Amino acid sequence: PGAIAALCSGCQTNEENWLLARLVAEVWQTDQMGLRGKVMPNREERFPGGFAIGGDCAPNGRGAKEVVAGMGLERLDVERIWEGIEVGRIRALCLLGGNPDERLEERERRVLEQLELLIVVDALASELTALADVVLPAASAFEKDGTFTNADGRVQRLRRAVVPWADSLPEWQILQGLAEVAGAPWGYAHPRQIAGEIGRRLGGAYARSWEAEEDAGGSRGH
């Protein structure tokens, strides 16, 4: 377990980051989990009426941080994970992608090339998938259900518009599959069940976030 680490993503849903945290803590039994992403404070802008654009460009950076904490994991600074790889302590990394504009820095590329096993879960080809030993093809944001948490803490629904392309799957199904092959049959049939689990653990805006919006008439068929 000490040789395994994972990176969640601010571009993925709360439900997907929650399952990665479960995989890390309960199945792989490690505590080495971080969030890869860059916050650019200089990009923060404010407009009339209180509208603001923050420096974190990821659509679900806050949600990723909160669900990892809700699983009881201390989110590591990604620098500690890079250092663990450099000294040979971390030899395998599972990474959720999701940002098509992301570019690897030279050091990041060098560090990732040292790994014995790099698993990337992503919807699009990228510099990360080119380095990966295993690429698990994920569904895009238009092909899955789930929730994001905005910068103000509001939990918002993401609804599937089209079915996943070819053999790609929503990340929650991929992560559940990884748990199953490791002997942990979770048995989720829909991300609504995962959202309920998050709500019971975190409370607040996460409690009944899915059902509350449906009760207000926001549900649409697939």
Side-chain angles (χ1 to χ4, degrees):
I4 302 172
L7 292 176
C8 61
S9 172
C11 293
Q12 306 302 344
T13 68
N14 292 321
E15 293 73 24
E16 290 155 353
N17 284 313
W18 177 260
L19 289 197
L20 182 61
R22 277 201 71 183
L23 198 61
V24 166
E26 299 176 8
V27 180
W28 295 337
Q29 297 183 352
T30 180
D31 59 358
Q32 299 182 121
M33 185 168 183
L35 169 63
R36 183 167 181 265
K38 297 178 177 65
V39 176
M40 295 169 282
N42 293 336
R43 285 192 61 173
E44 184 166 329
E45 299 178 41
R46 294 192 174 276
F47 297 90
F51 181 77
I53 298 177
D56 186 354
C57 299
N60 197 31
R62 176 168 178 166
K65 295 171 185 175
E66 291 181 347
V67 299
V68 169
M71 183 54 66
L73 291 169
E74 178 186 355
R75 182 175 47 85
L76 299 179
D77 186 288
V78 72
E79 176 63 25
R80 291 179 58 184
I81 294 180
W82 296 152
E83 291 173 353
I85 297 171
E86 286 176 323
V87 300
R89 178 173 52 82
I90 295 174
R91 304 196 305 275
L93 178 68
C94 180
L95 188 153
L96 294 185
N99 184 353
D101 298 322
E102 193 169 48
R103 297 293 179 266
L104 293 174
E105 297 175 358
E106 182 56 37
R107 185 201 175 197
E108 291 177 320
R109 177 182 296 278
R110 186 175 66 251
V111 168
L112 292 172
E113 287 175 342
Q114 291 182 226
L115 289 164
E116 295 177 21
L117 178 63
L118 173 61
I119 299 172
V120 175
V121 184
D122 209 343
L124 298 173
S126 66
E127 294 182 8
L128 281 172
T129 60
L131 287 177
D133 298 290
V134 178
V135 178
L136 300 175
S140 72
F142 304 102
E143 299 168 326
K144 61 188 177 184
D145 292 294
T147 60
F148 281 173
T149 306
N150 72 7
D152 293 328
R154 181 181 177 188
V155 181
Q156 300 172 307
R157 281 285 306 279
L158 178 73
R159 291 182 175 82
R160 189 182 76 178
V162 294
V163 297
W165 175 257
D167 294 325
S168 64
L169 293 171
E171 282 89 337
W172 70 269
Q173 291 184 339
I174 292 173
L175 295 168
Q176 178 163 251
L178 289 175
E180 288 174 353
V181 298
W186 288 341
Y188 297 111
H190 193 275
R192 181 187 295 106
Q193 296 169 289
I194 309 169
E197 191 171 281
I198 297 171
R200 289 189 292 274
R201 184 72 66 90
L202 272 65
Y206 292 92
R208 294 190 73 252
S209 60
W210 198 292
E211 293 83 354
E213 191 165 330
E214 290 183 346
D215 290 346
S219 177
R220 288 197 293 267
H222 296 310

